[in-house]
Every structure is written in C-alpha cells, then in structure tokens.
Amino acid sequence: MSSVRARAAAKINLHLGVGAVRDDGYHGLCTVYQAISLYDEVTAEPWHSWRIETRAEPYVDRAAVPGVGDNIVTRAGTLLADLHDVELRADLVVEKAIPVAGGLAGGSADAAATLVVLDELWDLQTPQEELLKLAAQLGSDVPFALLGGAGHGTGRGELVEAVPDPGEWWWVVVPQRDGLSTPAVYRHFDDMVPHAGTPASADGLIAALATGDPRELAACLHNDLQRPAFDLRPELRSLITLGESEGALRGLVSGSGPTCVFLCEDESHADTVADGLRYTGHVTALVATGPAPGPAADATD
Ligand code: ATP
C-alpha cells in the first residue's frame, strides 16, 4: 500500500458544564460532544523520519499550525510506534479545513485520524481500547475524536460514552480570524466563577438530542465557557445575536471559542442563515451537518 488517509471531523460541545479545578490542574467536565461534517484530512506514506506538510483552506491560519516537532500528529505517531516498540516514522500531509485554536478541536481530530491512518499503514492492528488510551494521553478531546458521532464526556472530557443521536442536525459554522487559547479561556472562567462545584448535568440535553427535534435541542444547548469567551471577545456576543436575528434557532460559542455555531431547522434553513451572515459581512459561514463519523482508514495503492 502506498498511502492511507482518513477524514478528521470537528467537534462541537452541545453541552459544556465546567466544574472545579481538580488536583491535577484540569477542570472537571460534563459535556456532550457532537462530531460535524467539517473535516481535516490526514494522509500518510511510508518514510524513514517524520515529515509534515500542512495545507489549509483560505480562512484557516496555516501559520498557527506547528511544525514537525510540536505538531500533535507527530506525538500521536510516536506514541503509537512506542506502544508497539517499533522505530517506524511517516510522511504526513494534513489538509486543514478546521480553524486552528477555534474551539472545534481540530488538532485533536488530526491526532485521532493519525492514530487510525498509521495503524493501517504500519499494519499494527491495535485494539480500539489501546487506541483510546493513547488518545487520552494526547488530549482530553482526542478519545471522542476517535469515536465520532455523539458522546457524553466526563472526567476532564476524556471518558466518553456514546449517546443516542438519531437526528440530522444542520449547523452554520462561523470561524474567526484569530484563535483563542483554551487555557486562557479556562483561566478567565476561574476568575468569573471562583467557586465552581460539580459541573452542570447533561441529562436534559441528552433527552433533547434523542428527540431528533431541533427546537428541543436549541432550548437545551449550554456552554459554561461562553461568558468568559464573550468577555475576552465582546464581538462574539453581537455575532450570536446577529445569527439569531438571521433566523437561526440558537447560536452558541463552540467549546472555548471563538468559533460560533448556529443550529438551524434543516439544510435549506442553514443555507439561508449562512447567506444572511455572509451578506452582513461574515464572509466565512460554513454549513455542516452532524453527527459525523469518526476517522476510518482508506488505503490506496
Ligand atoms: P483545544 O480545545 O483542544 O485546545 P482548539 O479547537 O481550540 O482545541 P486546535 O485547533 O486543536 O484548537 O489547536 C490548539 C493548539 O494546538 C494550536 O494553537 C496549535 O498550537 C496546536 N496544534 C498542534 N498540532 C496541531 C494541528 N495538527 N492542528 C492545529 N493545531 C495544532
């Protein structure tokens, strides 16, 4: 086989309950993830050392993606090789459509896709539970990125259980020019909520998701990081108001932001809301659907 590739889906948090900081420095979370059809793509070919080429859509800040040494995909590949005690390396091409530092876990998605792609390229046949352990070492969002679909995340977000998600959900995704640092948003959350306790329960959201009804889901969307993100980027509050005035059922900051997502009734409604946002000057308004699958390796000769 000469190359293997996989798509890496962005995630949004339909519910993000943030609790107190734990002894290990992470916040306790109760979250519901959904993977959406905004994809990076990772392609791997055999090579004797690590090599990464990054390509990016025009709205993605390619310069913000680290090179070989610091890129999460190299860490993923090295962890996988170490697990099997092999010296294998690879040539990776990462095509980015997911904004960097956008609150959509693009790096986590790339890492999960890399595990799947290299496992196939190197014919390692690593059991899924071993890949999930590597994923948790790579980052809190990486286990979900490996699974895709919709999942309930607890712990620091790395303990994931699939949740029923029978609907077809349509989102308008509005990236921002400059990313937001996730640690900075959590620090601001700590300043604003110094006595956070147990993270807010996701039971209502999980029940709404199971109805498949976008109006039920819209009423339950929840993100504890939205207020700190608004505080750091006041323009996001106006963007959410604007998207809702263009007819979206509900606007929400995605994860730690700054990407904003807007839930719509169906595909044509999402197209209308996206057109409205483009017309008002938000040049990039993407339409995506969820839930999207986790990465699957596709080999070519
Ligand atoms: P998180 O909430 O997981 O921090 P995010 O969606 O806000 O994620 P990412 O796009 O995953 O942000 O990037 C976070 C940081 O990870 C970036 O600022 C970048 O320095 C680093 N990074 C490492 N590898 C990658 C990659 N393949 N793609 C994007 N960013 C990467």
Side-chain angles (χ1 to χ4, degrees):
M1 136 195 1
S2 63
S3 80
V4 181
R5 65 182 172 171
R7 292 196 302 184
K11 66 82 188 151
I12 55 182
N13 300 82
L14 306 176
H15 173 95
L16 181 51
V18 181
V21 185
R22 312 186 314 185
D23 290 345
D24 62 4
Y26 289 100
H27 289 78
L29 298 186
C30 173
T31 189
V32 178
Y33 300 104
Q34 185 180 75
I36 60 169
S37 65
L38 174 62
Y39 299 104
D40 287 353
E41 189 165 283
V42 177
T43 307
E45 290 185 9
W47 192 245
H48 55 77
S49 62
W50 290 119
R51 197 159 67 173
I52 300 178
E53 182 190 341
T54 305
R55 300 178 192 152
E57 292 292 331
Y59 58 85
V60 174
D61 182 4
R62 193 167 72 92
V65 181
V68 165
D70 293 322
N71 200 301
I72 192 168
V73 300
T74 331
R75 283 202 282 128
T78 305
L79 273 185
L80 184 64
D82 288 351
L83 176 75
H84 293 274
D85 209 11
V86 290
E87 280 292 317
L88 296 167
R89 300 291 180 256
D91 181 356
L92 298 165
V93 177
V94 182
E95 291 169 75
K96 292 204 67 80
I98 306 175
V100 182
L104 297 167
S108 302
D110 297 348
T114 301
L115 290 174
V116 166
V117 153
L118 293 180
D119 191 59
E120 175 76 17
L121 185 76
W122 297 338
D123 193 22
L124 298 172
Q125 297 173 31
T126 313
Q128 176 84 337
E129 71 257 32
E130 292 298 323
L131 290 181
L132 283 167
K133 283 188 205 158
L134 297 186
Q137 289 178 51
L138 286 161
S140 303
D141 294 337
V142 186
F144 172 70
L146 202 54
L147 297 169
H152 182 205
T154 53
R156 55 183 165 86
E158 88 285 18
L159 306 173
V160 185
E161 287 198 12
V163 293
D165 188 2
E168 182 185 71
W169 312 97
W170 287 90
W171 299 95
V172 175
V173 179
V174 183
Q176 303 296 301
R177 193 192 310 273
D178 297 313
L180 257 180
S181 145
T182 302
V185 177
Y186 273 103
R187 276 197 299 276
H188 204 59
F189 171 85
D190 292 337
D191 291 342
M192 294 176 87
V193 189
H195 303 294
T198 308
S201 158
D203 291 353
L205 186 289
I206 291 171
L209 195 62
T211 67
D213 178 346
R215 286 178 186 272
E216 297 269 347
L217 187 67
C220 290
L221 296 172
H222 174 87
N223 181 2
D224 279 338
L225 295 182
Q226 180 156 297
R227 255 186 353 116
F230 280 167
D231 231 41
L232 294 169
R233 291 283 178 83
E235 69 274 20
L236 299 182
R237 192 189 290 273
S238 339
L239 173 58
I240 296 284
T241 306
L242 182 64
E244 290 178 349
S245 71
E246 289 296 327
L249 297 178
R250 184 82 191 276
L252 189 75
V253 170
S254 176
S256 54
T259 306
C260 292
V261 294
F262 296 90
L263 181 60
C264 298
E265 293 271 10
D266 52 29
E267 182 173 12
S268 73
H269 183 218
D271 285 338
T272 306
V273 170
D275 281 345
L277 282 163
R278 285 182 204 118
Y279 186 71
T280 56
H282 289 276
V283 179
T284 305
L286 311 163
V287 172
T289 184
D298 179 15
T300 48
D301 291 319

